[in-house]
């Protein structure tokens, strides 16, 4: 079964750090771009970051640049999001997602985890 | 940054009716680099459509997408109770990928 399982969320004070993990199974993880998407309580979806298959190409949402780092370990079938200098507005459910390349420049986030909750509060 | 604006905010329809959801981009999303996602209450999102009009694997043909440039539509024909969800459009023309604010579909 193709599956993504996030972990590492929790309660952290403003200015603190957290490292989210996403364990992939059921597919060849190293073949895919991966993404982090977040959703603040009661709000819509917000794309956070993408990483290509070998980690050489990375894109970030402007508001997290310099604070968040996306990375991956293909040997361990794992995706990570290191979050530093956390702010109250980073409070959200964080989802990891697999990016499927349909060809001709078309992509879709076709597999999602169930998410891990990050709360930034004093 | 491409801003996606969805309308209406909420649709309230009866089972069997059709739903038309709109997504307008602040600038062209190129060769229809747009997708639609469904998020049911308490669940992760699910990919419905990519490339503006191509159904993802396993998506019923009641769901169809259309449009190009800056104006896109998701049509749900013959609504079923299980279609209760928030629907988001999302572009992947360039970085940052952005989502619309969502349209909530309620079933009467």
């Amino acid at each position: 079964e193709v599956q993504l399982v996030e972990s590492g969320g929790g309660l952290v004070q403003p200015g603190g750090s957290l490292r989210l993990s996403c364990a992939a199974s059921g597919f060849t993880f190293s073949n895919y771009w991966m993404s982090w998407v977040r959703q603040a309580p009661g709000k819509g979806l917000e794309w956070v970051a993408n990483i290509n298959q070998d980690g050489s190409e990375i894109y970030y949402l402007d508001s997290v640049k310099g604070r968040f780092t996306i990375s991956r370990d293909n040997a361990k079938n794992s995706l990570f999001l290191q979050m530093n200098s956390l702010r109250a507005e980073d409070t959200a459910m964080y989802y990891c997602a697999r990016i499927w390349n349909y060809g001709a420049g078309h992509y879709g986030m076709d597999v999602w985890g169930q998410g891990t909750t990050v709360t930034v509060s004093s | 940054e491409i801003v996606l604006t969805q309308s209406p905010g909420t649709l309230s329809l009866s089972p069997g009716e059709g739903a038309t959801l709109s997504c307008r981009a602040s600038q062209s999303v190129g060769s229809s680099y747009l997708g639609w996602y469904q998020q049911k209450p308490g669940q992760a999102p699910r990919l419905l459509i990519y490339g503006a009009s191509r159904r993802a694997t396993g998506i019923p043909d009641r769901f169809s997408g259309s449009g190009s440039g800056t104006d896109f539509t998701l049509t749900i024909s013959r609504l079923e109770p299980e279609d209760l969800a928030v629907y988001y459009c999302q572009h992947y023309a360039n970085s940052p990928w952005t989502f619309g604010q969502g349209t909530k579909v309620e079933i009467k």
Side-chain angles (χ1 to χ4, degrees):
Chain A
E1 180 191 4
V2 174
Q3 196 172 13
L4 296 170
V5 179
E6 301 93 337
S7 61
L11 174 64
V12 62
Q13 292 188 340
S17 298
L18 274 180
R19 189 189 195 212
L20 306 185
S21 299
C22 171
S25 59
F27 64 99
T28 305
F29 178 72
S30 59
N31 286 352
Y32 294 89
W33 281 74
M34 297 294 295
S35 186
W36 287 100
V37 175
R38 68 184 180 184
Q39 186 169 36
K43 302 297 185 182
L45 301 172
E46 182 174 51
W47 169 82
V48 174
N50 284 352
I51 186 169
N52 73 336
Q53 289 89 338
D54 64 4
S56 62
E57 198 169 344
I58 288 173
Y59 300 93
Y60 293 105
L61 179 68
D62 278 353
S63 63
V64 309
K65 277 181 189 174
R67 300 188 301 122
F68 290 12
T69 302
I70 188 172
S71 63
R72 65 192 297 160
D73 184 338
N74 288 338
K76 296 184 178 179
N77 294 327
S78 294
L79 176 72
F80 305 102
L81 186 67
Q82 177 67 43
M83 304 186 296
N84 298 331
S85 303
L86 282 161
R87 306 166 180 168
E89 55 264 36
D90 297 317
T91 294
M93 177 77 79
Y94 283 74
Y95 295 100
C96 68
R98 185 180 80 172
I99 299 172
W100 183 272
N101 183 352
Y102 290 99
H106 292 294
Y107 299 93
M109 289 179 273
D110 71 327
V111 179
W112 295 68
Q114 283 306 300
T116 187
T117 301
V118 172
T119 303
V120 184
S121 175
S122 54
Chain B
E1 172 178 322
I2 298 175
V3 176
L4 300 177
T5 302
Q6 293 187 241
S7 61
T10 303
L11 268 178
S12 185
L13 297 165
S14 299
E17 289 190 300
T20 301
L21 287 66
S22 174
C23 175
R24 177 163 289 178
S26 58
Q27 56 188 279
S28 174
V29 297
S31 299
S32 301
Y33 294 139
L34 186 119
W36 290 91
Y37 292 82
Q38 175 194 63
Q39 187 177 33
K40 296 182 179 181
Q43 295 186 17
R46 176 174 73 147
L47 176 67
L48 297 177
I49 300 285
Y50 68 94
S53 61
R54 307 172 203 191
R55 273 186 298 277
T57 303
I59 302 304
D61 59 8
R62 301 187 292 106
F63 293 90
S64 63
S66 63
S68 63
T70 60
D71 289 298
F72 299 88
T73 300
L74 176 70
T75 301
I76 312 172
S77 62
R78 307 182 306 280
L79 271 169
E80 298 187 1
E82 67 204 45
D83 298 332
L84 163 70
V86 180
Y87 293 82
Y88 296 93
C89 58
Q90 179 245 329
H91 87 84
Y92 46 88
N94 51 39
S95 184
W97 289 5
T98 55
F99 289 89
Q101 81 278 21
T103 291
K104 183 177 183 179
V105 173
E106 298 177 339
I107 309 297
K108 290 179 183 176

